[in-house]
């Protein structure tokens, strides 16, 4: 079923690794990612949580019920067939309305097992990289660096100067920031790039020509 396999993982989590792969022609040669559970990790987890529960029975019995509930909840985490089922359910609930804004990988249920999850590979950047790119754009507008802006925000959060906001407030703030960046792009950055590329006669006379790309 697998025609190509990248041994270097693109992601590592607590119970497994994620690899790029390509399916065989029998499966339309699709680009996929495959999550593989680490051998014996479920047994190790069960041993560890059982040790914690047994200790709490002796020393802190009030913590036993929550730990037992955690143990129950984690039972499904080790069955990737359930994760494939959840992916299909989320796709069915979200994509009919939001497919113009988001995408969710489709699992290949016929190839999934308890310890292997196969799903479509979606192009794009990592969430953290996307956030940092937006932060860098905002920092440029403010005349600073992304690192300085991040440090400033972290200091405000730690000092309590920047209180945590609800989802609705965060959504409004995000829309305002996006509108501000879009306006700055249209009014400042795009005209600056145009002027640099086409309205500087000295660059033409000197024979220097290097087009500045708008990012």
């Amino acid at each position: 079923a697998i025609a190509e396999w990248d041994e270097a993982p693109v992601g590592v989590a607590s119970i497994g690794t994620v690899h790029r792969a390509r399916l065989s022609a029998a499966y339309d040669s699709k680009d996929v990612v495959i999550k593989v559970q680490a051998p014996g990790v479920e047994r190790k987890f069960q041993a560890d949580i059982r040790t914690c529960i047994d200790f709490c029975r002796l020393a802190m019995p009030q913590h036993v019920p929550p730990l037992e509930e955690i143990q129950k909840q984690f039972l499904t985490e080790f069955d990737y067939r359930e994760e494939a089922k959840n992916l299909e359910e989320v796709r069915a609930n979200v994509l009919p309305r939001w497919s113009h804004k988001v995408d969710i990988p489709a699992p290949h249920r016929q190839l999934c097992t308890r310890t292997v999850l196969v799903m479509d590979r979606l192009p794009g950047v990592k969430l953290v990289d996307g956030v940092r790119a937006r932060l860098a754009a905002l920092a440029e507008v403010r005349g600073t660096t992304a690192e300085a802006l991040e440090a400033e925000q972290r200091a405000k959060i730690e000092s309590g100067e920047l209180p945590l906001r609800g989802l609705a407030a965060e959504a409004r703030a995000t829309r305002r920031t996006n509108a501000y960046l879009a306006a700055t792009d249209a009014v400042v950055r795009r005209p600056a790039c145009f002027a640099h590329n086409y309205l500087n006669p000295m660059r033409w006379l000197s024979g220097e020509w290097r087009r500045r790309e708008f990012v």
Side-chain angles (χ1 to χ4, degrees):
I2 299 175
E4 297 179 20
W5 172 269
D6 188 349
E7 194 64 34
V10 295
V12 179
S14 55
I15 65 172
T17 57
V18 179
H19 300 261
R20 293 188 182 94
R22 177 168 293 162
L23 299 181
S24 64
Y27 296 93
D28 298 328
S29 301
K30 278 195 170 184
D31 289 329
V32 296
V33 291
I34 302 178
K35 184 158 75 168
V36 181
Q37 194 173 124
V41 68
E42 181 176 8
R43 176 176 48 80
K44 293 176 181 177
F45 169 81
Q46 292 294 350
D48 288 346
I49 193 71
R50 195 72 251 167
T51 299
C52 292
I53 291 173
D54 290 342
F55 171 79
C56 287
R57 288 190 193 282
L58 296 173
M60 296 178 288
Q62 71 273 19
H63 295 306
V64 170
L67 284 173
E68 289 180 333
E69 184 59 31
I70 290 173
Q71 184 183 32
K72 291 178 184 177
Q73 294 299 323
F74 264 90
L75 288 177
T76 58
E77 294 292 322
F78 295 98
D79 190 344
Y80 287 169
R81 293 169 299 187
E82 288 298 316
E83 187 169 343
K85 179 181 174 183
N86 291 338
L87 270 175
E88 288 185 333
E89 184 175 344
V90 172
R91 282 174 55 83
N93 290 332
V94 173
L95 293 186
R97 181 175 179 183
W98 299 104
S99 59
H100 62 293
K101 289 185 175 292
V102 300
D103 199 359
I104 300 168
H108 294 261
R109 290 285 294 272
Q110 70 274 31
L111 300 176
C112 295
T113 69
R114 183 176 178 81
T115 57
V116 174
L117 174 65
V118 183
M119 69 185 88
D120 287 343
R121 181 169 48 175
L122 300 182
V125 299
K126 292 182 179 179
L127 176 61
V128 66
D129 293 337
V131 171
R132 283 176 176 159
R134 296 299 289 175
L135 184 63
L138 182 60
E140 181 183 354
V141 170
R142 295 186 178 182
T144 183
T145 65
E147 292 76 13
L149 190 59
E150 186 176 347
E152 177 187 340
Q153 294 296 100
R154 186 180 293 112
K156 286 182 178 180
I157 293 173
E158 291 174 350
S159 67
E161 182 181 347
L162 191 66
L164 294 176
R165 296 179 292 196
L167 289 177
E170 285 291 348
R172 288 194 296 271
T174 299
R175 285 195 294 269
R176 286 196 299 269
T177 300
N178 287 339
Y180 177 70
L181 290 173
T184 303
D185 287 344
V187 175
V188 179
R189 299 179 69 206
R190 287 183 185 274
C193 284
F194 180 83
H196 175 84
N197 289 332
Y198 303 110
L199 303 181
N200 187 347
M202 295 305 297
R203 296 174 66 247
W204 293 91
L205 293 174
S206 65
E208 176 195 354
W209 175 254
R210 186 181 57 159
R211 188 172 185 272
R212 177 184 294 175
E213 296 293 337
F214 173 76
V215 179

